[in-house]
Structure formats: C-alpha cells, structure tokens
Amino acid sequence: MSAPSDRPAWEREGADWPHREASRFVEASGLTWHVQTFGDAAAPVLLLLHGTGAATHSWRGLAPLLAQDFFVVAPDLPGHAFTDPLPANRLSLPGMAAAIRDLLSALGVVPEVMVGHSAGAALLVRLCLDGLAPRHLVALNGALTPFPGLASVLFPSLARMLFLNSVTPRIFAWTADRPAVERLIRGTGSRLDAGGLDLYRRLFRCPGHVAGALGMMANWDLAALDRAIARLTVPTTLVVGGDDRAISPDTAFALQKRLPHARVELLRNLGHLAHEEAPAAVAGIIRQLSPARAAAEA
C-alpha cells in the first residue's frame, strides 16, 4: 500500500473529478479556493455548501439539476479537498462563515437561495445571522443544534484532541480503504454506489483533508449557534432523511417549532447523504424555490 499524500492534489485526486470542466480556482480571504459553477450566470444565484469531510463531489448529481433554474456556485470548504486550510485562529464557525462571505465578494455573487448539507447548513445560518439575506435557506440534514446529552461535551473535546495530534490524520488516512469508507458511510444511514464511495476514499486517504474535517469539528460552538438561531428570519426549509443516523430527524421537527418561518420536508428511506442517494428528489424540493416557478404558482 502506498503512503497517503498530505493535501489532495488537483493533478492527482482531481484528475477525473466530477464535473471537472465546471471547476476553477479563486483567491479570497487569504486562501486559494476550489469552486465549481453550473448554469447561466444571469440566472438567480444558488450557493451550495457541503458538510464536514465532503467536497464538491457531494453535489455531482444535484448541481446539474439545480442549474436548470439557477446559477449554482459550489466551493470546497476551507481545509477540504482542493481549498486551502484556514489558520487555527479562524477555524471557528463565525471565522469560517466570514471566509465564505469573502469568497462570495470575490466572485461578485449574491445568493438568492442557499443550500447547505449538515455542517454546511450551520455555516449558512451563521451567515444569515451575521447579515446575509437570501430569499430562502435550505438545510439538508442540517447540523444546527448541539449533540444531545454528554455527547455535546465529549464529542467536541475529542475532536479537538485528535485535531491537535498531528499523527491522527495520518493514521486515519492509512486505514481509509474501501471497506472502511463503506462502513463509515453506511453508519450515516446512506448507501452510495461504488463511484461515490471511491470519491470519499480518495479524499480520506489524504491526511490534509482529514485534518480539515477535524479542525471544523474541534473549533465550532454549536451551542452558541443554538442560542442565536431564534433570531433567524430567513424562510427556511429543513430537508430530513428519515433514515439519517448521523443527525436524528427529530431535531428538525423540534427546530421547526422554534423558527416561525421554517417547514420540514421528510424524505423517507434516505440517510444523512440523501442528496447523493436521491438527487432528483432533493432537486424537486429546491427547484420550487426558483423565482420563475414561484411566480407560475402564484
């Protein structure tokens, strides 16, 4: 077995990256970002933010469908895949949200609709609380509340300990073979095809990508976001996979009661990666938010 590389390389891990022709690299907030764009640049802008440990490949099925109604912008988050990592003092949730805002400014886009998966949804809520005002926010199995019970204390502390240990990402990368990645994905309640599993495997084989994921988990304060989320006024759709084992679907229904402008869309028999398992079903929910479709139904 060959030794894993540190950061994913565009010439190596990205050589056959999904929708490679849609990719470009952008300088913003002191980082070089990998960004994919889809659709007509004159259409309403839709921002896609992936979750912890993922990358733009997570949108390989969904983004082209959304591009029928929107100009889709999808970056790799800092420290993930082909985007540079943030320094440790900017790895907080507000710090990462500020970097995303800098990226949007560099791209010259103002999203009308924002869609985030898991931790990506938390970033979008933070952006809205800090002043961004899209027409609609969509959280796909959003990680918007602290872990329940003792896990809310232990899990961030464990992630911080692992992040500070420089050996941890390399150990994880060495063990990221195909069966291990398949077990990890199935543990979220999702089932992906061989191609989808291979994309995660090639990223998890890079210690730099693993360190980026651990850095997010180690430095985020979801309790603070939970205390502030009642101030969210942007209309929000909480899309929930009924078989999600990573984030209980019950949390979305509880959150709906706290947010007067929120509704829940339940997708049965799908897990945490519902947008990868059934992109057409998820696209059907999001595409109803396009101005043209909303006007036609008015």
Side-chain angles (χ1 to χ4, degrees), residues 78 85-96 163 211-212 215-216 218-220:
L86 281 169
N89 64 347
R90 297 174 62 196
L91 273 177
S92 65
L93 180 52
M96 193 170 286
F163 173 67
M216 280 180 66
N219 288 276
W220 280 22

Side-chain angles (χ1 to χ4, degrees), residues 153-271:
V153 177
L154 293 181
F155 188 79
S157 298
L158 177 61
R160 191 170 297 110
M161 180 181 68
L162 294 175
F163 173 67
L164 292 173
N165 186 338
S166 61
V167 177
T168 301
R170 295 191 174 278
I171 294 175
F172 186 96
W174 271 109
T175 59
D177 57 11
R178 173 71 177 278
V181 172
E182 185 169 10
R183 287 193 299 272
L184 180 64
I185 297 299
R186 286 195 176 189
T188 71
S190 289
R191 292 176 179 268
L192 302 183
D193 60 20
L197 291 172
D198 180 67
L199 289 163
Y200 279 102
R201 183 193 64 82
R202 73 174 73 171
L203 290 179
F204 292 162
R205 287 272 297 151
C206 298
H209 177 80
V210 176
L214 286 173
M216 280 180 66
M217 292 187 288
N219 288 276
W220 280 22
D221 183 358
L222 285 179
L225 184 70
D226 185 54
R227 290 191 296 270
I229 202 168
R231 295 192 283 107
L232 182 67
T233 58
V234 176
T236 301
T237 300
L238 305 168
V239 181
V240 180
D243 290 346
D244 189 350
R245 297 179 192 167
I247 298 173
S248 171
D250 292 342
T251 62
F253 290 97
L255 188 58
Q256 181 191 23
K257 297 177 181 178
R258 299 170 57 197
L259 300 177
H261 305 288
R263 64 188 180 93
V264 175
E265 290 276 357
L266 178 63
L267 296 175
R268 300 186 185 279
N269 304 314
L270 295 174

Side-chain angles (χ1 to χ4, degrees), residues 19 35 110 250:
H19 307 296
V35 181
V110 178
D250 292 342

